[in-house]
Structures are given as C-alpha cells and as structure tokens.
Amino acid sequence: MTEPAPSGGGPAELSKNALKKAAKEKEKAEKKAAAKAKELAERQKKETDDANDVSAEDYGELPMVGSAEFKPTGLQRESLSNITELEDKEIVFRCWVANARVQSAKLAFLNLRQGLNTIQAVVAASEKLSKQMVKFAGNISTESTLLVHGLVKKTPEPVKSATIQDYEIHITKLFIEVKAEVPLPMQVEDAERPLPSEGLGDEDEKAEESDGRPLVGLNTRLNNRTLDLRAKINHAIFVIKSGVCALFQEFLGSKGFVLIQTPKILGAASEGGANVFQVKYFDREAFLAQSPQVYKQMLIASRFPRVMEIGPVFRAENSNTARHLTEFTGLDMEMEFQENYHEVMSMLEDLMLFIFKELNARYKQETELVRSAYHVDEFKLPESGKVPRIPFSEGIKMLREAGEELGDYDDLSTPQEKHLGKLVLERYNSDFYVLDQFPLAIRPFYTMPSPTNPALSNSYDMFMRGQEILSGAQRVHNAELLIKLMKSHDPPVDPTGPGMRDYVESFRYGCPPHGGGGFGLERIVQFWLGLPNIRMCSLFPRDPQRIMP
C-alpha cells in the first residue's frame, strides 16, 4: 500500500514561495524608490518654481499687525463705495473673502467684501503674475481679512454675484492680514437668507429651503453671533437702528428737548414692583430700572420743560414671544403742554413721521436690502396732521364688527392688535396710527384719568403694522391726586415708600401739566423692516432663555 505524502510540500514548492516573497519585496522597494524619486522631483521643481516665482514678493501671509516694528507705507487705502471714481486706477484696500475659487492653473476668482459692498476680483497668470500666486489666491479660506492691490476695470457684462456689478479688481498684489480658521461653525451666507418663521422653536433648525440647503435657525445664529452679524442684512439692520436714534435726537433737539441720562440702578422698584430685576448692591438690595418715568417727571418739576433719553430698559417679563426682550433700548420723551395732552400726541406723531420719511430718504439702500429678503410691503405713511387717532372704544367697536369678542375695557391681546392693524390699514391706508383714551385700570398709577369718563384715561398707544411701539399719557402732576391713585391702584403703591416719597414730594412744589411716552427702539426697527423676530434687532439679545453671549 502506498503511504500518503507528508503535508507542507517539498523542496520545489518552498523554493517557489521564496521567489514570490522576494518578488514582492523587490516590487515594494521599487515603489518606495519611485515615490521617493517623485517626491524629490516635486521638491526640486517647487524649489525651482519658487526660485523663478515672479510674484514671490507680491503675495503671502503678513505678520500680525503690531508684532513687528511699524514702517508706514504711505499708501492711501480706498473705499469700494467710491468705485466709480477709481476706474482704471490701481488701488489698495482692506477687505475680506466672501468666496474664493480656482478656475484653472492660470485663473482664480475671489468675491471680496467691504462693508455692504462686494466686488469680483480676478487673479490671472501672466509674465508678471505667477501660477503659484493664482493657486494661493484660490485657496484662501473664507472670511480671511486681506490687503489687496489691484487695478479697477470696467466689466464687459454685469457681475450678478456681487453688489458692484459694473467693475472688477484685477489683482496685482494679495496679502492675508488675518487668516480665518476653518471649518466655520456656520457660513455667513446662511445668515443672508431669511429666517423660516418667528424663529422661536427647534423645528426651525431642521427646516430646508427648496434647493435642499439647510436653513440656519435663530438659535444657531445667536450662538455664533459674531459670524451672524457679518451678514450684509444684519449690518443693514443695525445701520438703520443707529439711524433711528440719530433721527430721534435730531427732531426732538430741533424742538428744544434736552438729552438726559437717568439712573438705571434704583433703590426701589419704580413702577409698583412688578416685572423688576433685583440685584445685589454692596450690602443691600437694588433694582434695574423698568423705565426712566419717575425721573423724567421729576425733571419736568425741576423746570426742564422738554427732555429726551435713549437708554436701556429692563423688564423681568417671562414673555418668550417674537416681540419681547428682557433688556431693550428705550426712546423716551417728556414735555410740558399748554392746554391739552393732545399737544404731546402731535409732537410724537410728527416725530415718527419725520423718522419714517428720513429712513426712506437716508437709509433707502439698507431698507431695500432687508425688505428684499423678507418681501415686506412698503410701509404706508399718513400725512402730517392726518395720522389716524382712534378712540379706544372705536377700536373695540371695529374689532367686534370683525368678529372679535371682548369687553369695553378689556386690554387687547397681540392677535387682536394685529387684527385691528389690518382693519385700520384697510380703512385709513396707514400702517401707523394711535389709539387714544385707554381704560384707566390697565394703565400705570401716574396716568391722568379722563375728564369725560372716570373709567378711561388721557393715555394712548402708537402702533406700526398693528403692533404697539409706544405707550404714553398725560401724567398726574398734582401730589394729592397722585397719592389717591397710587393707593387705589391694583396692586396698591405706597406713596411714602422708598423710591416713591421723593417722586411724590417733587409735585408739592408746583409742576406744570405734562405728558410723554416711551418707544421700544427694537420694535420700531422690527416693524419698519417687517422682520419676524425682535432678537434680530438686538446685537446680543436678552430674553428669559438667553443671557449669553
């Protein structure tokens, strides 16, 4: 019988395996040698290219400003807003990168931004500009800050991707001043797109536009606010907000109003103790001001006939709505009147008409930029002296006729305010109007009762697009009547208590009749532009859920 062959193979098979192993080792060594040779060749080519780089001194990353000895260049820095005056001139300017892309080894395009302006820049290889510079330009990270030298040229056809469409920059030198880290937590271009809704819920973070791109919701934007604020639309919002403040002071200043600054840290709650923030003040308790109201009135009693203030207001209201903040900016005014509190209303109406008209004239570009994103109708303006003044009772009647159920002296809810705004727009063709003679029970204790109906008061609210922007009234200027109203108020206010005693006493020395009002600056901006959320109008908004950043 023949025995089976032993396992493992004979000498011939072992020799075959050794040959295979040797061949693999040789192949591996050859690949390694080839890779090393390729790397060496590329390094040598790069060294040669670098040595022959005609643009070597014309691009790169600059040392941090302030880290090296300052040597002035004497070069004038230009603004892109003057681009029409700079055609065919070589200019120097600082900007940042909105977008950069390499078109080919010899061509790159950059979208450069400066303020609200964007412009296309071209980096094209030539005898004087190297391919290395083209590659460098096309790979600059978005949001990096640049120092650019370039020639301003007229474009053969409009560049639709830039705000400056008839000119472009042919770059000659390009330096990174500050390099932006990547990846960014959000893209600035995402903040240029409108919010999907009022932006109060997490569902907005999951929404998508029709093109499939994710919509960046309000929470993400506010959590990355420095990037969010770089969006042109946000710059426009805050330019307009600044403009409202300037126009407020300009108009009232021309009418003899004195700008004042009143305390924001108080020893007692100034308006009855509701919705007030308490703070520790050394070894005792203090409060943040809910308004400058008592101080405005005390200044009228101090013989300042007309005063105005722009300052922070703090309200501890747990209102998580699209139009409430716990800290906002108040535009306040107070003035003597001669015969009737409607003199104050007329001043306030003319103030707002001035602001609206000047916003249209001086801030047209910014207004149109924001409204183009939100597709808001033009703000309908009445003429001076023709602002609709609607008695509160008439407003109630209009709402009832439109199907709303509410009592004669009920306060209006937000939906009812908006509904009334639509009715007023239909009837009067105005987005701005006044409700007059509010019920006394829903107004502050310092409000003058109406002489014709003790249940009403000489008080008023002003509205934009059906939403309140101002609350105002004739103030009580008689100490005894003020004490009576304070004690009967719900809840009662102690006229001898801390913070109230000095206020009440100031009227015992003779105080002229006066009235005024307080606007919410952010609301004016929100409703003027038709924005879905008031947080968009506060640089770093504060609400019941947000105290950072």
Side-chain angles (χ1 to χ4, degrees), residues 195 197-200 218 225 233-234 236-242 244 319-325 327-329 331 352 355-356 359 366-367 370-371 374-379 414 417-418 431 463-470 519-539 541:
L195 285 174
S197 66
E198 292 186 346
L200 293 173
L218 186 60
R225 191 60 162 156
I233 192 170
N234 286 328
I237 289 169
F238 290 100
V239 168
I240 291 168
K241 186 176 181 181
S242 172
V244 173
S319 297
N320 296 281
T321 76
R323 69 173 194 171
H324 283 89
L325 294 170
E327 178 184 353
F328 61 91
T329 303
L331 302 178
M352 290 311 299
I355 289 175
F356 295 147
L359 285 176
E366 291 83 0
T367 297
V370 180
R371 286 184 183 166
Y374 286 92
H375 309 294
V376 179
D377 292 336
E378 187 92 8
F379 193 87
T414 299
E417 283 184 0
K418 291 180 178 179
D431 278 312
F463 296 82
M464 291 175 62
R465 300 188 193 271
Q467 300 201 64
E468 179 211 332
I469 58 164
L470 168 136
F519 295 94
L521 171 60
E522 288 79 7
R523 283 193 182 183
I524 293 175
V525 177
Q526 180 187 5
F527 303 145
W528 172 252
L529 295 173
L531 297 173
N533 198 294
I534 197 168
R535 290 157 186 79
M536 299 175 69
C537 305
S538 176
L539 286 170

Side-chain angles (χ1 to χ4, degrees), residues 314-517:
F314 303 91
R315 299 281 172 87
E317 296 180 64
N318 192 17
S319 297
N320 296 281
T321 76
R323 69 173 194 171
H324 283 89
L325 294 170
T326 54
E327 178 184 353
F328 61 91
T329 303
L331 302 178
D332 277 88
M333 62 84 82
E334 204 78 16
M335 61 176 278
E336 288 184 22
F337 62 80
Q338 300 302 313
E339 296 180 337
N340 186 274
Y341 76 98
H342 282 181
E343 297 168 29
V344 184
M345 287 174 57
S346 294
M347 181 71 74
L348 288 165
E349 288 168 357
D350 286 346
L351 163 66
M352 290 311 299
L353 291 179
F354 173 80
I355 289 175
F356 295 147
K357 288 177 181 177
E358 293 306 311
L359 285 176
N360 273 332
R362 304 186 202 181
Y363 300 90
K364 185 177 179 66
Q365 178 189 2
E366 291 83 0
T367 297
E368 289 180 349
L369 172 62
V370 180
R371 286 184 183 166
S372 68
Y374 286 92
H375 309 294
V376 179
D377 292 336
E378 187 92 8
F379 193 87
K380 299 290 193 308
L381 284 176
E383 295 179 10
S384 178
K386 295 185 179 180
V387 175
R389 288 185 184 177
I390 303 168
F392 186 84
S393 57
E394 176 65 21
I396 295 290
K397 181 182 176 183
M398 290 172 65
L399 285 170
R400 284 176 178 163
E401 290 174 352
E404 297 279 356
E405 294 182 7
L406 67 169
D408 289 348
Y409 304 116
D410 288 350
D411 201 0
L412 301 183
S413 66
T414 299
Q416 287 168 342
E417 283 184 0
K418 291 180 178 179
H419 190 178
L420 183 59
K422 292 179 181 178
L423 298 175
V424 172
L425 181 61
E426 291 171 4
R427 181 179 295 187
Y428 299 98
N429 195 35
S430 175
D431 278 312
F432 175 58
Y433 63 95
V434 183
L435 274 185
D436 190 20
Q437 289 282 303
F438 271 74
L440 183 64
I442 61 174
R443 305 302 276 196
F445 62 82
Y446 43 75
T447 307
M448 179 67 78
S450 173
T452 57
N453 183 344
L456 300 178
S457 62
N458 292 353
S459 65
Y460 42 85
D461 281 0
M462 292 187 170
F463 296 82
M464 291 175 62
R465 300 188 193 271
Q467 300 201 64
E468 179 211 332
I469 58 164
L470 168 136
S471 181
Q474 177 184 350
R475 323 299 188 181
V476 176
H477 59 284
N478 175 275
E480 297 308 318
L481 178 57
L482 182 59
I483 290 170
K484 178 183 175 182
L485 291 172
M486 292 172 81
K487 289 181 177 179
S488 62
H489 195 263
D490 183 19
V493 180
D494 182 3
T496 64
M500 289 292 106
R501 183 176 58 253
D502 295 330
Y503 167 68
V504 173
E505 289 298 308
S506 68
F507 299 110
R508 295 191 184 280
Y509 315 128
C511 179
H514 61 278

